[in-house]
């Protein structure tokens, strides 16, 4: 049986299908760009008329061609796979470190590009190139994207929190109001009423019910544990006003 990928036509067929079995079998060069590639290079395939074949990378190099930066034709396909895998691991690690920095507040370690490169064991310039090739943007741009995602998440969480009322407030619920089911806030033993789907206008704590005895300021401690004399300004949302007392403690 003839060895595969020895004829020009079988090689051209391998390029067109990016046949993985041909990955280490030969090298091709594009005469217009002066670049040589492995047969499975993900770059757009050049026209047949502009392509010539070589036995290996050494031969292509000797003919004056430069190695493609995408398919790294000097490496065996096993090394190439290892290289690809390394890039993925580096990106995962960086995403993890920057994620911790962004969610950790003031106390969190602040990472510079140089520190990140050292952490993953690469030179700064190689790290930057590898990162950009894998992710498609610079480390700085990536951090900015992460930060805006993080802010969005925090806004959502804050919104959710405000809609959770301590269970001790149940006695302030008017008779007409159907109490939602008790829930346990994630990561705590405290029970809450999930008010997310209850409209404030039909629930308690609206500005109109300000004088309702059981929600008088005297019966509350503020978040720092002091007696409340005046409730905070009502918050306006969806055209309705309500008092956000979720961080206050009812005393009677
Ligand atoms: Zn290539």
């Amino acid at each position: 049986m003839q060895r595969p990928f020895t004829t020009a036509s079988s090689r051209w067929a391998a390029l067109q299908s990016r046949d993985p079995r041909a990955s280490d079998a030969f090298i091709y060069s594009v005469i217009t760009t002066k670049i040589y590639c492995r047969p499975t290079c993900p770059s757009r395939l050049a026209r047949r008329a502009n392509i010539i074949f070589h036995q290996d990378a050494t031969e292509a190099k000797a003919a004056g061609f430069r190695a493609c930066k995408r398919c790294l034709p000097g490496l065996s396909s096993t090394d190439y796979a290892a290289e690809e895998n390394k890039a993925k691991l580096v990106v995962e690690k960086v995403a993890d470190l920057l994620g911790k920095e962004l969610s950790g507040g003031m106390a969190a370690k602040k990472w510079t590009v140089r520190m990140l490169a050292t952490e993953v064991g690469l030179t700064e310039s190689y790290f930057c190139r590898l990162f950009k090739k894998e992710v498609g943007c610079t480390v700085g741009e990536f951090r900015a994207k992460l930060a805006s995602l993080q802010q969005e998440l925090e806004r959502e969480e804050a919104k959710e929190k405000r809609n959770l009322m301590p269970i001790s407030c149940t006695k302030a619920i008017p008779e007409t109001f159907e109490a939602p089911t008790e829930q346990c806030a994630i990561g705590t033993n405290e029970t809450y009423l999930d008010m997310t789907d209850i409209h404030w206008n039909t629930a308690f704590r609206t500005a109109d019910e300000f004088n309702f005895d059981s929600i008088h300021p005297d019966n509350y401690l503020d978040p720092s544990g002091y007696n409340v004399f005046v409730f905070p300004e009502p918050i306006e949302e969806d055209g309705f006003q309500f008092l956000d007392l979720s961080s206050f403690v009812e005393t009677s």
Side-chain angles (χ1 to χ4, degrees), residues 28 35-38 41-43 68-73:
Y28 76 92
I35 283 171
Y36 68 90
C37 285
R38 64 173 68 243
C41 180
S43 304
C68 170
K69 284 186 174 136
R70 248 182 119 176
C71 64
L72 308 173

Side-chain angles (χ1 to χ4, degrees), residues 64-136:
F65 293 94
R66 285 178 295 114
C68 170
K69 284 186 174 136
R70 248 182 119 176
C71 64
L72 308 173
L75 295 177
S76 74
S77 55
T78 334
D79 288 347
Y80 178 66
E83 192 74 11
E84 289 262 280
N85 195 38
K86 182 169 85 186
K88 282 194 179 68
L89 291 176
V90 162
V91 170
E92 267 171 34
K93 177 89 181 162
V94 168
D96 182 50
L97 293 173
L98 291 181
K100 280 186 184 134
E101 173 187 317
L102 290 166
S103 60
M106 299 295 282
K109 184 168 182 175
K110 302 280 176 280
W111 292 93
T112 63
V113 173
R114 182 181 294 264
M115 283 157 69
L116 288 169
T118 309
E119 186 70 18
V120 295
L122 301 174
T123 66
E124 198 175 336
S125 63
Y126 180 56
F127 166 65
C128 288
R129 260 186 291 129
L130 185 85
F131 190 89
K132 180 141 195 196
K133 188 177 152 203
E134 185 69 18
V135 182

Side-chain angles (χ1 to χ4, degrees), residues 45-218:
L45 188 58
R47 288 171 50 216
R48 175 69 188 92
N50 293 330
I51 285 174
I52 56 170
F53 297 108
H54 310 278
Q55 218 36 56
D56 51 34
T58 319
E59 193 186 292
K61 215 172 183 175
F65 293 94
R66 285 178 295 114
C68 170
K69 284 186 174 136
R70 248 182 119 176
C71 64
L72 308 173
L75 295 177
S76 74
S77 55
T78 334
D79 288 347
Y80 178 66
E83 192 74 11
E84 289 262 280
N85 195 38
K86 182 169 85 186
K88 282 194 179 68
L89 291 176
V90 162
V91 170
E92 267 171 34
K93 177 89 181 162
V94 168
D96 182 50
L97 293 173
L98 291 181
K100 280 186 184 134
E101 173 187 317
L102 290 166
S103 60
M106 299 295 282
K109 184 168 182 175
K110 302 280 176 280
W111 292 93
T112 63
V113 173
R114 182 181 294 264
M115 283 157 69
L116 288 169
T118 309
E119 186 70 18
V120 295
L122 301 174
T123 66
E124 198 175 336
S125 63
Y126 180 56
F127 166 65
C128 288
R129 260 186 291 129
L130 185 85
F131 190 89
K132 180 141 195 196
K133 188 177 152 203
E134 185 69 18
V135 182
C137 66
T138 67
V139 177
E141 289 162 349
F142 181 73
R143 183 204 296 268
K145 273 185 208 165
L146 268 189
S148 81
L149 275 177
Q150 178 82 18
Q151 277 171 6
E152 203 175 297
L153 202 72
E154 275 166 14
R155 269 199 302 276
E156 283 301 309
E157 272 175 6
K159 211 171 161 190
E160 224 164 76
K161 214 171 200 172
R162 210 177 53 210
N163 284 328
L164 293 175
M165 300 294 283
I167 195 74
S168 57
C169 294
T170 41
K171 72 171 192 171
I173 297 177
E175 273 178 65
T176 50
F177 174 66
E178 200 180 319
T181 5
E182 286 177 29
Q183 292 200 349
C184 202
I186 299 160
T188 74
N189 291 321
E190 296 169 75
T191 43
Y192 287 91
L193 294 176
D194 183 357
M195 305 295 284
T196 316
D197 297 324
I198 306 297
H199 208 285
W200 284 100
N201 194 40
T202 58
F204 55 109
R205 308 289 148 94
T206 63
D208 294 335
E209 290 173 321
F210 189 70
N211 292 321
F212 190 63
D213 276 351
S214 63
I215 62 160
H216 195 275
D218 285 354

